[in-house]
Amino acid sequence: MKFLMLKSSVLCAVFVFAGSLVQAQPKAATTPVANAPMATVNGIAIPTSLLEQNVRANVAQGQRDSPELRQLLKEELINREILAQEAAKLGLDKTAEAKTQLAQLRQTLMVELLLNDMMKKNPITDIKIKAEYDRRVEALKNEQQYKVGLIVTSTEDEAKAILARLNKGESFQKIAEQSSIDPSKAKGGEVGWVLPAQILPAISNVLVNLKKGSVAVAPIRTQAGWNIIKLEDQRSYQAPGLNEAKNDIRQALLQQQRFDLVKRLREGAKIQ
């Protein structure tokens, strides 16, 4: 099961690609004074802070801070300033489409700044992660986990045909590898161990009533397609170790922080 968390970046990752073009050198780089202009283009100063920001972005991508990297980024920043000035000269920033895009970029940046500020003021500490881990383990200690096999098809007719083949004794794993449109086909339809609350009710309601080794008698329709499920095994809930669960819990706590912030601000906002 995948959990995605999107994080927008308006400025920091602008030139991340450039780092891959540089052979990093072990020489130490000299950091210019942050408030001095890095360069000027037609009288417009490019702040050194912008260069530093892009250096940090490249370093975060695994590049070494080197004079070569800094020079490449500097030249690219100069080129972009020249291009930006030309666009402004042509009035391209005055179009309705440009104004909409600029407004969206500003909004995205402001949201990121707010969320970063929130995380600095309310960091997700190891103590908080351990407390949430303990809470989850306690809440789930009496739950059952189910090991699921899954085949998904595009049409009901395909699903019924596969069920007929399974009823004749064909291998669930082989059919999944050949016919399923779900990513789990790479593992023969193996989804792994899940809790009922982690999957769609339409599937979990059927799953919990299956006997070990049995396949649901009818395909289940969801947005993904027509689902054929098999209960491979069942056990009492086995909690992952704290270190294994740490990143997922951290992301969940961050998402909860964001949700609570949005909820609080919406309650105080005048929305028409």
Side-chain angles (χ1 to χ4, degrees):
M1 300 178 69
K2 291 185 177 179
F3 299 89
L4 302 183
M5 182 179 180
L6 302 179
K7 181 173 184 280
S8 63
S9 184
V10 177
L11 296 176
C12 292
V14 170
F15 306 125
V16 167
F17 72 90
S20 63
L21 304 178
V22 179
Q23 291 293 328
Q25 301 296 322
K27 295 183 290 184
T30 302
T31 303
V33 179
N35 60 355
M38 178 199 75
T40 59
V41 178
N42 298 323
I44 303 298
I46 303 175
T48 298
S49 58
L50 187 57
L51 173 63
E52 294 302 321
Q53 194 171 46
N54 283 280
V55 169
R56 289 194 296 271
N58 278 265
V59 170
Q61 294 292 319
Q63 295 298 314
R64 185 183 296 277
D65 184 352
S66 67
E68 289 79 7
L69 174 63
R70 287 175 174 272
Q71 184 61 35
L72 181 62
L73 292 175
K74 178 180 178 179
E75 293 302 322
E76 181 61 23
L77 286 168
I78 291 172
N79 290 341
R80 292 178 70 86
E81 178 59 32
I82 292 171
L83 292 170
Q85 289 183 23
E86 182 64 18
K89 187 187 300 183
L90 295 173
L92 301 181
D93 57 331
K94 300 298 191 295
T95 66
E97 182 181 0
K99 289 179 180 179
T100 299
Q101 291 180 4
L102 287 170
Q104 186 171 356
L105 286 171
R106 181 183 184 280
Q107 183 187 65
T108 300
L109 174 60
M110 295 303 291
V111 169
E112 182 171 342
L113 291 173
L114 178 62
L115 295 179
N116 286 340
D117 181 67
M118 177 191 70
M119 288 187 288
K120 287 180 181 178
K121 293 177 179 177
N122 302 280
I124 304 300
T125 64
D126 287 345
I127 293 176
K128 290 180 180 179
I129 292 173
K130 178 62 163 59
E132 176 63 13
Y133 173 81
D134 291 342
R135 186 194 68 77
R136 292 186 182 190
V137 171
E138 178 64 23
L140 297 171
K141 65 181 181 181
N142 296 320
E143 294 290 327
Q144 290 288 303
Q145 282 181 304
Y146 300 85
K147 190 176 184 181
V148 183
L150 176 67
I151 297 173
V152 183
T153 65
S154 300
T155 68
E156 184 178 15
D157 287 343
E158 289 177 295
K160 287 182 176 179
I162 287 174
L163 275 175
R165 292 169 60 187
L166 291 171
N167 290 333
K168 292 178 181 179
E170 289 194 46
S171 165
F172 189 98
Q173 180 179 356
K174 288 184 178 179
I175 295 178
E177 291 173 348
Q178 296 168 356
S179 305
S180 181
I181 60 173
D182 187 78
S184 62
K185 69 178 295 180
K187 295 183 178 181
E190 181 182 332
V191 176
W193 291 97
V194 298
L195 293 161
Q198 292 177 306
I199 56 180
L200 294 171
I203 294 179
S204 64
N205 291 339
V206 175
L207 180 66
V208 298
N209 292 303
L210 291 177
K211 293 182 179 179
K212 181 179 175 179
S214 64
V215 177
V217 296
I220 304 165
R221 188 177 187 179
T222 67
Q223 289 185 343
W226 294 85
N227 300 259
I228 300 167
I229 59 171
K230 179 181 180 181
L231 177 58
E232 301 282 2
D233 204 351
Q234 182 177 344
R235 70 185 185 190
S236 297
Y237 174 68
Q238 293 185 14
L242 175 58
N243 287 336
E244 182 182 349
K246 203 169 189 177
N247 287 336
D248 285 343
I249 292 176
R250 184 186 303 277
Q251 294 305 317
L253 291 175
L254 285 171
Q255 290 178 358
Q256 186 61 47
Q257 274 191 347
R258 186 184 189 281
F259 175 83
D260 292 343
L261 176 63
V262 171
K263 181 181 179 182
R264 176 173 61 82
L265 293 176
R266 282 184 68 94
E267 289 173 350
K270 185 178 180 180
I271 303 174
Q272 297 177 327

